[in-house]
Amino acid sequence: MEISFHNNMFSLLLLLLPSLSFSPSAWAACNAVDKEALLGFKRTITADPSRLLQSWISSTDCCTSWKGVACNSVGRVVNVTRSGLVSDDDDLLDTFMNGTLSPSLGNLSYLQLLDLSNLKNLNGPIPPEFGKLRRLTYLFLNSNQLTGSIPATFKHLSRLERLFLNNNYISGIIPFSVIGSLTALTELGLSENQLRGSIPATIGKLVLLTKLDLHANNLSGSLPTTIGKLKSLKYLDLSQNTIKGSIPKSIGGLSALVLLDLNQNQITGSIPSSISGLISLQFCRISENKLTGSLPPSIGHLPSIQRLILENNKLTGKLPATMGHLVTLTELFLSNNRITSKIPSSFSNLQNLQTLDLSRNHLSGELPTELAKLQNLQTLDLSFNPLGLVSIPKWFAKLKLFRLMLAKTGIRGSLPRWLSSTSISMLDLSDNALTGKLPPWIGNMTSLSLLNLSNNGLHSSIPAEFKNLRRLMDLDLHSNKFSGNLDTIFSKGTDDPIGHYNSIDLSDNMFAGPINDSVLQSSAMDSITSLVLSYNLLKGSIPKSIRKLSELRILKVVSNGLSGKIPVELGDAMGLTTILLSRNNLMGSIPGKVINLNELKEFDVSHNQLRGEIPPHKAIIPVSSFIGNPGLCGAPLPPCERS
């Protein structure tokens, strides 16, 4: 969930604000100073393809004839709205302007609204003269290419209620004096810029603030304790910065807060117990940080929470049983921490839970059977925990799961047959100790889009019923003991527009026989991007039909028994970045068309029987990629002998 306050919709709404719309027919003509200020801006615009300023002509009245301009009863300009996202006869037009902000706009001394947002190519600094706009209430300059710093003169804009400078290239610090002076602000958007330094402690003076968005900058320092004074704050997004230090206890004072996003920072310390004060909080993301310590029991007292995302930290200790009180919770992400002990049975109270991701922790012990009550659960990921499951609990069959991820959880034996009657779309049972055959009933799992059974002890050929997996798009069977040919996998059915493979990894098995030329042309293979067949017993030549795989990026067929030539047709798969064909019995020369593919980054044909001169090539390919071919010569190998 990304919350952004670029709010192009503000521009559209403000066009309709009755308080700023006037009918000037019986009023004074446009003030000469204001008209010249606007013409000064027009002169700094070098491109206006949608003619947003076409009506701005010096011979006409700017109050009655100029689009995007509104005046008061004495002919003073109070509203300038020329956004790049404009409404025209009930349609939205997305346009741009080239040029800069003219200092002359600072002469619009009665201006209340200035919206030049979303013009894309508006560049240069914000003129310090804008600090003269003492009556300004709304300033929207977001989604441009503005540079320079936030003018210190903004401290004079004491009436400003909404300020959006986000999605530009503004740098420097957030001036303490400016922030402390804008006490009328209700919404502040400075995100997606290049701002650095600390968040000013003076932020605590903005007691009317409801939205604060500073995400995607280079802000550092710690969170000021004064942030707890913002009792009206509903949205706080400080994600994608380098903020350090701990979360201040004062954050518990933000009782109106609906969204808290501190994702991708360097925040340390534990989650304060005062978090229970966030009684309105619905979305909380503090992932990708360095949080330590246990989850406080008070985290179970967030009566409105829906999404709680704390993954990729260093959290330890047990899961508090109090989390079972979070009955409004729909998504819980705690993956990649160091949480220990069992999953509390109280989690069965989370009746609205749709996603539970506890993967990559140190959870152990028996899974509580009460979790079968979670009838809204769609995604369950317990992967990479030392659960010692032995088998997948039978009560899982009572769940209505869409995604089931149990990689490296200690599962042994054969695949349980009850899986065949589920509607699971994504199944990951990799890195376990599964044995036996891939059963024919796998063909009944017709909802499967991803199947990962890699790194187990499964054997047998692929059953013919596999062709029924018409929605399967990602298949990973690497590091098993599968045998037989590849035809069943490659020629399975599709359920258009889905069911066309994205990726296949069959490496480290015992698949044998040739790669059938015709099955590579099946509809299931027509959009594949990654094909990994290394370390099998494949024979025959590389099919020429590989040219049809136009989306192919990665091809790995290392250490098989392939023979024949490298087909020049491989060069028709224009998107290839990786070609690994080492340790086969390939003969002939290296086609120049293949080694000169534009996107090629990795190429290895070592330990084959290739001969001739290596064609000149642009990619940087090491010597090791060609060794073991006694007949090859030319850079980067020694030069060919000339007769």
Side-chain angles (χ1 to χ4, degrees):
M1 176 177 178
E2 297 292 340
I3 298 293
S4 174
F5 306 120
H6 306 166
N7 281 346
N8 298 321
M9 293 309 296
F10 277 138
S11 305
L12 301 177
L13 291 171
L14 289 168
L15 284 171
L16 306 175
L17 277 180
S19 61
L20 295 176
S21 299
F22 300 90
S23 178
S25 56
W27 297 346
C30 179
N31 180 275
V33 173
D34 291 356
K35 176 184 281 192
E36 180 51 35
L38 294 173
L39 290 173
F41 168 62
K42 183 178 180 180
R43 286 192 288 270
T44 64
I45 298 304
T46 57
D48 181 15
S50 292
R51 301 178 179 179
L52 292 176
L53 305 181
Q54 184 184 29
S55 62
W56 292 21
I57 303 170
S58 59
S59 59
T60 59
D61 190 302
C62 71
C63 292
T64 58
S65 303
W66 293 17
K67 284 188 177 180
V69 177
C71 301
N72 63 13
S73 59
V74 294
R76 300 309 300 261
V77 173
V78 294
N79 178 346
V80 176
T81 302
R82 291 286 78 188
S83 170
L85 191 63
V86 295
S87 178
D88 180 50
D89 297 328
D90 298 324
D91 291 326
L92 286 179
L93 300 178
D94 197 7
T95 184
F96 68 92
M97 273 190 202
N98 286 13
T100 58
L101 293 171
S102 172
S104 67
L105 290 173
N107 294 328
L108 298 171
S109 54
Y110 280 75
L111 194 65
Q112 297 175 39
L113 165 67
L114 177 59
D115 184 359
L116 299 174
S117 63
N118 225 313
L119 293 169
K120 289 83 170 176
N121 296 335
L122 209 57
N123 56 67
I126 302 171
E129 288 81 1
F130 278 27
K132 297 190 295 182
L133 303 174
R134 304 288 179 104
R135 290 180 170 85
L136 201 61
T137 308
Y138 304 108
L139 177 57
F140 301 107
L141 299 176
N142 50 288
S143 302
N144 286 294
Q145 297 187 36
L146 300 175
T147 55
S149 57
I150 299 172
T153 56
F154 271 27
K155 66 184 179 182
H156 301 303
L157 305 180
S158 58
R159 297 188 187 181
L160 208 56
E161 295 178 13
R162 291 176 178 168
L163 172 60
F164 286 90
L165 306 178
N166 39 296
N167 197 18
N168 280 288
Y169 296 99
I170 296 169
S171 56
I173 64 168
I174 302 174
F176 282 54
S177 60
V178 169
I179 293 300
S181 302
L182 304 182
T183 53
L185 268 186
T186 61
E187 297 176 358
L188 175 60
L190 302 177
S191 63
E192 297 182 87
N193 279 292
Q194 298 172 2
L195 295 167
R196 55 180 172 78
S198 303
I199 299 170
T202 51
I203 198 82
K205 295 183 178 181
L206 310 187
V207 294
L208 301 179
L209 207 60
T210 62
K211 298 179 181 179
L212 176 59
D213 185 4
L214 306 178
H215 86 265
N217 278 287
N218 299 314
L219 297 172
S220 56
S222 57
L223 289 169
T225 57
T226 53
I227 208 161
K229 296 179 180 179
L230 305 181
K231 304 298 183 183
S232 301
L233 198 62
K234 294 182 179 180
Y235 300 93
L236 176 60
D237 189 349
L238 307 178
S239 61
Q240 300 176 60
N241 282 288
T242 56
I243 296 168
K244 299 179 176 65
S246 58
I247 300 171
K249 293 179 181 178
S250 63
I251 203 166
L254 304 180
S255 58
L257 199 64
V258 174
L259 176 142
L260 173 63
D261 196 344
L262 304 177
N263 180 52
Q264 288 186 39
N265 279 287
Q266 297 179 23
I267 298 170
T268 55
S270 58
I271 297 173
S273 58
S274 62
I275 195 171
S276 58
L278 305 180
I279 56 174
S280 303
L281 195 64
Q282 296 178 19
F283 177 90
C284 178
R285 183 166 65 170
I286 319 179
S287 50
E288 314 278 345
N289 278 283
K290 299 179 180 179
L291 293 173
T292 54
S294 303
L295 291 171
S298 61
I299 203 168
H301 302 293
L302 298 173
S304 305
I305 194 70
Q306 295 176 19
R307 303 183 68 191
L308 181 57
I309 307 169
L310 302 174
E311 61 194 3
N312 297 317
N313 280 287
K314 299 178 180 179
L315 296 169
T316 55
K318 300 179 180 180
L319 293 168
T322 54
M323 293 184 75
H325 299 151
L326 304 178
V327 293
T328 55
L329 198 63
T330 60
E331 297 183 10
L332 176 60
F333 293 89
L334 286 170
S335 66
N336 201 22
N337 280 287
R338 300 169 185 176
I339 298 169
T340 56
S341 194
K342 297 174 63 174
I343 299 172
S345 59
S346 62
F347 271 39
S348 63
N349 297 326
L350 307 180
Q351 296 294 306
N352 289 303
L353 199 62
Q354 297 173 19
T355 299
L356 177 59
D357 187 352
L358 303 175
S359 61
R360 299 181 187 275
N361 278 286
H362 303 312
L363 295 169
S364 58
E366 192 172 347
L367 297 178
T369 56
E370 293 91 340
L371 296 183
K373 296 177 183 177
L374 302 181
Q375 288 299 295
N376 287 310
L377 197 64
Q378 296 177 16
T379 298
L380 177 61
D381 192 346
L382 303 176
S383 298
F384 300 99
N385 279 289
L387 290 168
L389 288 183
V390 181
S391 62
I392 306 174
K394 288 185 178 180
W395 56 262
F396 273 35
K398 298 178 182 178
L399 299 172
K400 301 168 185 175
L401 293 173
F402 181 73
R403 301 178 185 88
L404 177 59
M405 310 296 193
L406 296 174
K408 203 170 186 179
T409 51
I411 300 169
R412 299 178 176 276
S414 56
L415 289 166
R417 190 180 184 109
W418 59 260
L419 284 171
S420 66
S421 57
T422 67
S423 298
I424 290 172
S425 175
M426 303 177 75
L427 179 63
D428 184 353
L429 302 177
S430 60
D431 293 278
N432 282 295
L434 291 169
T435 54
K437 299 180 178 181
L438 189 64
W441 56 252
I442 195 75
N444 295 339
M445 298 186 70
T446 53
S447 296
L448 276 179
S449 64
L450 178 149
L451 177 62
N452 188 349
L453 301 175
S454 64
N455 206 16
N456 279 286
L458 297 166
H459 62 86
S460 80
S461 57
I462 305 300
E465 291 81 358
F466 186 91
K467 289 189 175 184
N468 296 335
L469 303 183
R470 301 176 65 88
R471 298 188 172 193
L472 189 65
M473 294 184 289
D474 292 282
L475 175 66
D476 191 347
L477 301 179
H478 86 261
S479 302
N480 279 283
K481 299 174 183 177
F482 288 113
S483 57
N485 62 44
L486 305 176
D487 291 6
T488 304
I489 294 173
F490 288 174
S491 61
K492 76 164 189 73
T494 60
D495 196 358
D496 285 330
I498 57 178
H500 301 260
Y501 282 120
N502 296 317
S503 64
I504 296 176
D505 189 346
L506 307 176
S507 59
D508 287 283
N509 279 287
M510 295 185 289
F511 288 109
I515 303 173
N516 191 315
D517 194 83
S518 61
V519 296
L520 273 191
Q521 300 181 59
S522 72
S523 61
M525 297 294 289
D526 59 13
S527 60
I528 191 164
T529 61
S530 178
L531 180 58
V532 182
L533 306 175
S534 300
Y535 303 101
N536 279 288
L537 305 173
L538 300 174
K539 305 289 184 183
S541 58
I542 300 171
K544 293 181 179 181
S545 59
I546 203 162
R547 69 187 300 176
K548 301 287 183 65
L549 307 183
S550 58
E551 302 295 321
L552 194 62
R553 301 291 179 267
I554 297 170
L555 176 64
K556 299 181 181 180
V557 199
V558 174
S559 198
N560 278 279
L562 296 178
S563 56
K565 295 182 177 182
I566 299 173
V568 67
E569 289 83 0
L570 187 58
D572 292 329
M574 303 292 288
L576 275 166
T577 63
T578 300
I579 301 175
L580 305 184
L581 303 174
S582 60
R583 299 186 182 277
N584 283 286
N585 296 311
L586 298 171
M587 299 177 291
S589 59
I590 299 171
K593 186 177 182 179
V594 174
I595 202 172
N596 278 294
L597 282 163
N598 284 335
E599 304 298 323
L600 195 62
K601 300 289 188 297
E602 192 176 4
F603 183 78
D604 191 344
V605 291
S606 61
H607 301 286
N608 279 285
Q609 298 176 34
L610 298 169
R611 306 186 65 82
E613 185 170 8
I614 298 169
H617 48 277
K618 295 168 285 188
I620 300 172
I621 303 173
V623 173
S624 59
S625 294
F626 299 102
I627 61 172
N629 291 282
L632 275 185
C633 57
L637 296 178
C640 299
E641 294 182 7
R642 304 298 178 186
S643 56

